[in-house]
Amino acid sequence: MTYGDRKAGAWPEKIHEQADEILKRYPQGRERSALLPLLHLVQSVDGYVSDEGIAFCAEKLDITKAQVQAVSTFYTMYKRSPAGDWLVSVCTNTLCHAKGGQRIFDALSAELEVGHDESTPDGKFTLEHAECLAACDYAPVVTVNYEFFDDMDEEKSLDLVH
Amino acid sequence: MPSPRQASDNVLSKLKPVLTKRWLSPSAWRLDVYEELDGYKALRKALRYRPGDLVEFMKESGHRGRGGAGFPVGMKWQFVPDDGQEHYLVVNADEGEPGTCKDLPLMMNDPHSVIEGVLIGAYAIKASRAYIYIRGEAVHAARRLRHAIAEARAAGYIGKDVLGSGFDVDVHVHSGAGAYICGEETALLDSLEGYRGQPRLRPPFPATHGLYQKPSAINNVGSIAAVPHIVLGGAEWWKGLGSENAAGTMIYSLSGRVKNPGQYECSLGTTLRELIELAGGMEEGHELKFWTPGGSSTPMLTAEHQDVPLDFDNVAKAGSILGTTAVMIFSDQDCPVVSCWRWIQFYHHESCGKCTPCREGNYWMVHVYERILSGQGKPDDLKLLEDACKNLLGRSFCGLGDGATSCVTSSLKHFRQDYEDYIEGRKQPLFHADMIGAH
Ligand SMILES: NC(=O)C1=CN([C@@H]2O[C@H](COP(=O)(O)OP(=O)(O)OC[C@H]3O[C@@H](n4cnc5c(N)ncnc54)[C@H](O)[C@@H]3O)[C@@H](O)[C@H]2O)C=CC1
Ligand SMILES: Cc1cc2nc3c(=O)[nH]c(=O)nc-3n(C[C@H](O)[C@H](O)[C@H](O)COP(=O)(O)O)c2cc1C
Ligand code: SF4
Ligand code: FES
């Protein structure tokens, strides 16, 4: 979902409602626990954790923007700049690496002409190395927007981006 | 005569599907199917006991944690004080240890068993809230759990006055955001409280000072999913399924150079030789060279260790750790040096940066590995690696730092020659020195 015409600070009612639902999962006075889910929420709207997203979380939880920023930068899944429509993550941890994960990464990198954590100029794809994705029995593993593709090879992974 | 690739009857008898039993039933993740397959019977039974009796029962069963350290589940629950404060049950579904891949299929195929275990555990420790902290990338499993929780809530298993017992409980799924360290239980708690996931000093353990500094039991997905089975089957039955000091079955996650990688649930104490046979043998043209009994943080073993019973005590005697029974199998076509390089890159990337030995030690080890692999290594480099490990092991703030040393020291012990081949120019460098800025 995208809300392209959103002005800074003006979040759709639906997002406010979702945020309030998330807050209810935690005990009263412990709302800060909702920070990670809220960051996921704002990222799902903007495609990355934007300044507006940070402000939104800070306001909902009554903490400072610096506090939100400090948390968001700790976690790999929160992107700091606009990511492509499709986030292609290739596991290159040892087991997948042994079974061809690096070759897959290199093939995708050559095809898309981007390196790790880079996006194609048309904004379609972002490529990244991933660490073990807990699916080693299906190695080598590639995910596209966190949907898992098992037992990959160079050819099959190139099909994913064609 | 069976073909040599077919598992013999003898080894097939090692398979003991309990936690994985429902995986083959279509749609076992749906509440109605789960209920047909004995689902939520254990909860009904458990609610007839007093919470303290359940804790005692879990102690009797000898059930040990499946998150890697094997701490007795009943004992952990007993450490949660019965003091009228709010209590929490937290399920560790962060599954990040390289090689480990049992919890995600467990949550995908049989989510209600995890939830039923959560409900029984929460009742036993008198928690009225439970959180399942699941790694952020596992969007599919989180969705499935949420769906199952909604079903269970609608059916009266979750909420106020569960099945008329007077017990109130709520269960929520909380997604992480890509940080291996958040699997360490105290880092997980900080993350769940909305902070950067950095480990806390222990003791105090979470059992007394956990979520929001309140008494909390933190258990791995596999530890929890076994609970309903144990409640239904009985403590003696569970003990009988395992070996001495190691009750029950274990999901061995086989990955790498075997014909059929996957999850094989067997008695604790099954050997690698048997597991490889179950998995259809080694991949064609590959010969076993090294393997991990329980993930990247457990020292690697060699072909000589194929007959070690894979339980807590025997693996320790063989110089490694049972860990998460993530059995990664590598062959003569894989290089232990390259493998360690990738793992140390991983530990370097995932180090939370809180303590110097881990933050700096892993950083330097990555450089030394790259120097060696680019053909620029010096004979002293092996000593340098050993020294770095000495400064890490036992000196780091949490288990991540300790875990990082496992592959390095064990590979230096078993495969020193492979290192020397790079250093002395007998082996083609993996990459050119310029590419990585090695010096
Ligand atoms: N499943 C996975 O993806 C991963 C698993 N691991 C495993 O984690 C293990 C290390 O984990 P740690 O939590 O550092 O192990 P640990 O041995 O310190 O603790 C194990 C459990 O027992 C509890 N405990 C220990 N002593 C206690 C006491 N006196 N009172 C109350 N509770 C007590 C702890 O709170 C914890 O829940 C390693 O063996 C490794 O195999 C490591 C990385 C990832
Ligand atoms: C760096 C690190 C990462 C860990 N990651 C996990 C994990 O992903 N899942 C898990 O269950 N335990 C993990 N653990 C172990 C937990 O700290 C804790 O021992 C475990 O959740 C206790 O559950 P159990 O007693 O049921 O096994 C990790 C430990 C360390 C040191
Ligand atoms: S050992 Fe590593 S991960 Fe653990 S606290 Fe220290 S820096 Fe952080
Ligand atoms: S090593 Fe790639 S999924 Fe585990």
Side-chain angles (χ1 to χ4, degrees):
Chain A
M1 50 183 163
T2 39
Y3 298 87
D5 55 350
R6 178 172 55 76
K7 287 188 216 72
W11 290 77
E13 196 47 40
K14 196 168 140 234
I15 298 301
H16 278 286
E17 280 166 21
Q18 283 181 20
D20 296 339
E21 273 310 305
I22 290 171
L23 282 161
K24 281 192 215 144
R25 293 179 199 157
Y26 306 95
Q28 258 190 346
R30 310 291 189 187
E31 285 79 10
R32 176 150 181 172
S33 277
L35 182 49
L36 264 60
L38 287 184
L39 283 164
H40 282 305
L41 178 68
V42 295
Q43 174 156 285
S44 75
V45 177
D46 281 346
Y48 72 112
V49 176
S50 61
D51 289 348
E52 291 83 19
I54 287 179
F56 178 83
C57 296
E59 196 183 311
K60 280 278 166 204
L61 302 178
D62 199 16
I63 56 179
T64 67
K65 286 189 268 187
Q67 285 171 316
V68 176
Q69 187 110 38
V71 171
S72 73
T73 51
F74 185 82
Y75 297 93
T76 318
M77 281 177 74
Y78 300 130
K79 304 298 173 201
R80 274 158 256 170
S81 54
D85 298 337
W86 304 99
L87 173 64
V88 182
S89 318
V90 184
C91 176
T92 51
N93 202 299
T94 304
L95 202 280
C96 283
H97 185 272
K99 294 196 105 178
Q102 186 64 43
R103 287 198 303 274
I104 292 172
F105 183 91
D106 292 342
L108 284 167
S109 178
E111 175 70 18
L112 300 173
E113 298 179 12
V114 291
H116 167 67
D117 205 17
E118 289 175 3
S119 303
T120 53
D122 61 2
K124 254 179 133 174
F125 296 105
T126 300
L127 180 66
E128 67 174 9
H129 278 285
E131 294 300 359
C132 177
L133 291 159
C136 324
D137 47 344
Y138 294 109
V141 179
V142 175
T143 64
V144 179
N145 288 0
Y146 304 109
E147 192 187 327
F148 282 66
F149 294 88
D150 308 332
D151 204 359
M152 294 301 287
D153 56 29
E154 287 101 305
E155 205 181 318
K156 282 193 269 181
S157 62
L158 288 178
D159 284 346
L160 287 178
V161 299
H162 282 152
Chain B
M1 215 176 99
S3 83
R5 286 289 171 222
Q6 218 152 23
S8 62
D9 289 348
N10 197 15
V11 71
L12 281 176
S13 73
K14 290 273 168 180
L15 280 176
K16 296 264 164 55
V18 176
L19 278 80
T20 53
K21 186 173 62 183
R22 296 191 192 91
W23 293 15
L24 293 176
S25 310
S27 315
W29 49 272
R30 278 181 13 209
L31 179 62
D32 54 340
V33 181
Y34 182 72
E35 283 174 326
E36 269 167 38
L37 302 170
D38 292 339
Y40 290 107
K41 278 193 188 145
L43 175 64
R44 289 175 200 279
K45 182 173 173 187
L47 291 174
R48 292 200 295 269
Y49 288 81
R50 279 183 312 204
D53 294 341
L54 272 177
V55 172
E56 209 45 52
F57 167 77
M58 282 315 286
K59 279 171 67 184
E60 262 166 45
S61 75
H63 183 40
R64 293 172 67 170
R66 276 14 182 184
F71 195 82
V73 174
M75 200 185 294
K76 197 189 289 190
W77 290 2
Q78 192 181 35
F79 284 143
V80 176
D82 187 4
D83 55 1
Q85 294 188 61
E86 3 160 6
H87 292 174
Y88 298 96
L89 182 84
V90 180
V91 178
N92 191 342
D94 197 55
E95 185 151 79
E97 171 85 341
T100 310
C101 46
K102 63 184 172 59
D103 296 345
L104 290 191
L106 199 50
M107 292 184 286
M108 281 305 285
N109 292 307
D110 201 5
H112 281 287
S113 71
V114 180
I115 295 165
E116 190 175 2
V118 165
L119 298 172
I120 297 171
Y123 175 71
I125 64 156
K126 301 190 178 172
S128 55
R129 261 174 203 270
Y131 291 98
I132 303 176
Y133 185 104
I134 184 168
R135 60 179 295 172
E137 298 88 342
V139 178
H140 56 315
R143 198 181 295 135
R144 180 145 294 173
L145 277 175
R146 288 202 174 97
H147 175 78
I149 288 171
E151 281 184 312
R153 189 172 283 132
Y157 297 123
I158 298 177
K160 290 247 174 283
D161 192 19
V162 172
L163 302 174
S165 64
F167 166 56
D168 301 337
V169 66
D170 214 350
V171 184
H172 293 285
V173 176
H174 182 102
S175 291
Y180 167 66
I181 189 58
C182 291
E184 196 281 336
E185 55 179 12
T186 60
L188 183 155
L189 292 173
D190 264 35
S191 178
L192 180 50
E193 291 182 14
Y195 295 88
R196 298 163 76 95
Q198 288 187 314
R200 304 174 181 172
L201 191 65
R202 299 181 310 177
F205 286 94
T208 54
H209 296 73
L211 186 59
Y212 314 124
Q213 293 297 320
K214 301 291 179 199
S216 309
I218 305 184
N219 280 120
N220 170 259
V221 171
S223 317
I224 284 291
V227 169
H229 298 288
I230 303 173
V231 166
L232 278 186
E236 288 311 313
W237 167 77
W238 186 245
K239 270 194 267 189
L241 281 174
S243 61
E244 208 187 334
N245 272 335
T249 61
M250 197 60 153
I251 303 177
Y252 292 95
S253 309
L254 266 64
S255 62
R257 304 299 191 179
V258 285
K259 281 216 166 131
N260 305 308
Q263 312 302 316
Y264 294 86
E265 188 178 6
C266 302
S267 304
L268 257 164
T270 302
T271 66
L272 179 71
R273 193 185 299 281
E274 290 161 338
L275 290 171
I276 291 179
E277 194 179 336
L278 282 172
M282 293 293 290
E283 229 178 86
E284 217 60 72
H286 289 262
E287 203 179 304
L288 176 67
K289 179 159 176 172
F290 59 103
W291 55 289
T292 68
S296 62
S297 63
T298 61
M300 56 171 77
L301 296 172
T302 69
E304 276 171 34
H305 301 102
Q306 281 188 78
D307 296 308
V308 173
L310 299 178
D311 58 33
F312 298 99
D313 297 350
N314 282 299
V315 175
K317 262 187 235 152
S320 187
I321 311 170
L322 186 65
T324 59
T325 53
V327 183
M328 291 186 272
I329 297 165
F330 297 90
S331 76
D332 52 345
Q333 294 175 39
D334 302 312
C335 173
V337 187
V338 174
S339 298
C340 288
W341 165 59
R342 280 299 304 122
W343 277 321
I344 294 301
Q345 276 189 321
F346 164 78
Y347 286 106
H348 165 55
H349 180 250
E350 299 298 331
S351 165
C352 81
K354 183 172 178 137
C355 62
T356 317
C358 170
R359 189 184 58 236
E360 299 299 320
N362 284 309
Y363 171 82
W364 280 109
M365 286 203 286
V366 169
H367 282 274
V368 176
Y369 271 104
E370 296 187 338
R371 191 156 68 202
I372 293 173
L373 287 169
S374 64
Q376 310 284 306
K378 308 186 190 98
D380 275 356
D381 281 346
L382 303 189
K383 173 120 193 343
L384 203 57
L385 287 175
E386 277 161 349
D387 284 348
C389 288
K390 271 192 208 132
N391 281 312
L392 248 177
L393 188 67
R395 295 210 168 107
S396 52
F397 193 80
C398 84
L400 187 146
D402 292 339
T405 66
S406 287
C407 63
V408 180
T409 31
S410 60
S411 63
L412 279 168
K413 177 170 153 201
H414 298 301
F415 301 106
R416 211 175 181 86
Q417 183 72 47
D418 291 76
Y419 285 85
E420 287 168 352
D421 285 348
Y422 278 109
I423 293 173
E424 289 159 20
R426 282 185 298 276
K427 204 159 176 183
Q428 193 65 21
L430 186 70
F431 33 59
H432 195 273
D434 295 345
M435 277 171 59
I436 44 124
H439 47 267

